[in-house]
Amino acid sequence: MKSIILASRSPRRQKLLNQIGIKFRVETADVEEEHGQGRAARSICRRNALAKAQVVAEQFPKQTVLGADTLVHLGDELFGKPASLTGARRMLRKLSGHTHHVTTACALVQGTRKKVFSVTTRVRFQKLNDRQINKYLRTVSVLDKAGAYAVQEKGEWLIEAIQGSLTNVVGLPLERLQSELSAWFDTASSRI
């Protein structure tokens, strides 16, 4: 498979791409992410992922660029990255004892060619008390994580069950991404 540009500084996304042997380099641009409320997580993620990929693709029009965006949502409420530990604590209290969704959108862009897709995973949290939440926040750095948690970092302290892609909750739905990249490069080869 050919190499790509990852339009993300996320060490988790980089680690996931390394796990499946995708060759990539990181190039990012500052993009004002869209936020919102309501049941719009999927469309917000898709727009944010595409915006990130397009900004980088303008600089490297012959390269395939991957942009991604992840949001945690519970009913109509969207949870991005917390601005403070107080905000993180509030998020974990709201997620406690409930099933929420994690949506990650991915955008592939090369020149004028683009493909955007998203995957949603259901995550059920255990009922957490303040002591458990505070212990988690002392142990795991959460300010750069949507929903104020990381499934791969002491997630067993919080999570009761997951339905769907585990890697999607980390930041990239690898199963879907692999098939989309394969189709993307196959289509590019057939155009030549």
Side-chain angles (χ1 to χ4, degrees):
M1 186 175 290
K2 298 181 181 182
S3 67
I4 64 170
I5 295 174
L6 175 62
S8 172
R9 290 183 192 94
S10 166
R12 293 165 300 284
R13 290 189 178 119
Q14 294 172 37
K15 187 174 181 179
L16 288 169
L17 289 177
N18 281 324
Q19 283 177 10
I20 58 172
I22 302 227
K23 294 180 183 173
F24 68 95
R25 76 176 197 267
V26 174
E27 296 284 348
T28 60
D30 288 327
V31 172
E32 185 71 32
E33 289 188 4
E34 185 179 325
H35 301 283
Q37 294 297 334
R39 297 186 181 272
R42 186 171 167 263
S43 59
I44 290 171
C45 281
R46 291 169 70 95
R47 286 193 295 272
N48 286 339
L50 183 58
K52 293 172 189 178
Q54 285 180 314
V55 167
V56 174
E58 287 172 8
Q59 300 168 29
F60 305 95
K62 295 185 187 295
Q63 298 285 311
T64 295
V65 178
L66 169 63
D69 190 53
T70 301
L71 275 176
V72 170
H73 42 114
L74 174 64
D76 288 345
E77 191 165 1
L78 305 180
F79 298 79
K81 297 170 186 169
S84 66
L85 286 177
T86 301
R89 193 171 288 107
R90 191 175 315 114
M91 287 182 185
L92 293 178
R93 282 183 185 134
K94 286 183 179 182
L95 296 172
S96 171
H98 296 285
T99 298
H100 63 273
H101 297 86
V102 179
T103 297
T104 300
C106 296
L108 296 170
V109 177
Q110 181 181 19
T112 58
R113 187 174 169 222
K114 55 185 107 155
K115 169 74 178 184
V116 182
F117 60 93
S118 60
V119 171
T120 299
T121 302
R122 292 169 49 96
V123 180
R124 171 98 182 142
F125 260 32
Q126 301 171 36
K127 185 74 176 145
L128 304 169
N129 60 41
D130 284 345
R131 185 184 56 77
Q132 291 168 301
I133 290 171
N134 289 331
K135 179 181 177 186
Y136 186 79
L137 294 177
R138 281 193 309 272
T139 307
V140 179
S141 175
V142 299
L143 297 183
D144 66 336
K145 295 167 180 69
Y149 75 95
V151 67
Q152 71 280 13
E153 294 179 53
K154 305 295 184 192
E156 67 277 8
W157 291 3
L158 310 174
I159 296 168
E160 187 173 292
I162 293 177
Q163 288 179 293
S165 170
L166 174 65
T167 63
N168 183 56
V169 181
V170 178
L172 282 176
L174 290 185
E175 307 85 355
R176 176 79 183 271
L177 179 60
Q178 283 185 289
S179 68
E180 294 288 353
L181 281 171
S182 181
W184 177 270
F185 287 119
D186 285 349
T187 304
S189 298
S190 66
R191 291 170 141 186
I192 298 172

